[in-house]
Amino acid sequence: LCPVHNSPASTTTRYGSSKLAQILHARALQRSWPADTAMRAVSACPAWVVTNVTDDQASLLIHPFAFQAPEGISSALGAAFLPLTAKQDFVANSNLATIVHLDLFLAGKFATVTGLREVLCHGFAILLLFTQRFTFGTHLTRTSPESYDLGLQDALFQW
């Protein structure tokens, strides 16, 4: 259930929640290691990549614009091999979220309670699909405001 509206969560909301959980877990894991460790817990976002997860109708729209596997893997390779600082823990194949300052639009209770946040996320996902090739690269970017919440990170990590 959607915690705000107490109704079934959309597929996009469930997918976004799983991505948030991945980022929260990686950040909590990183904090659990000794400060002087050379290991890094990093999250990677490949953007839209051709997979067999979508149904046939959605594939007709998504596949012509989505990255193929060799492009999709670049964020994971960047996460593995880029010399990252302690604050750099999210690598994406597109910097569109940084360009449009998506994190500013998603901040605050108003966007969540009114449903504006979900509308913005859907719109951004569609915009990303059609523009990701223009912003392709290995980019260190910020993530959603709640992904920096230490309490959420710890709660998920302890769970």
Side-chain angles (χ1 to χ4, degrees), residues 26 35-37 40 53 57 65 76 79 82 96 98 114 138 141 150 152:
D36 61 346
T37 185
R40 298 284 302 134
V53 173
Q57 290 178 341
F65 300 98
L82 284 175
L96 185 63
T98 303
T114 61
T138 304
T141 65
L150 297 178
L152 282 175

Side-chain angles (χ1 to χ4, degrees), residues 72-139:
I73 195 70
S74 69
S75 59
L77 292 173
F81 296 109
L82 284 175
L84 304 173
T85 68
K87 297 286 185 188
Q88 296 172 315
D89 63 359
F90 188 79
V91 181
N93 278 352
S94 170
N95 66 343
L96 185 63
T98 303
I99 292 169
V100 299
H101 297 284
L102 186 65
D103 56 325
L104 297 178
F105 292 106
L106 300 181
K109 295 260 185 217
F110 177 78
T112 302
V113 172
T114 61
L116 181 60
R117 181 188 178 110
E118 189 159 351
V119 170
L120 287 171
C121 286
H122 283 275
F124 177 77
I126 292 167
L127 180 64
L128 178 61
L129 174 64
F130 296 122
T131 62
Q132 66 184 9
R133 293 195 179 281
F134 302 109
T135 60
F136 178 71
T138 304
H139 303 281

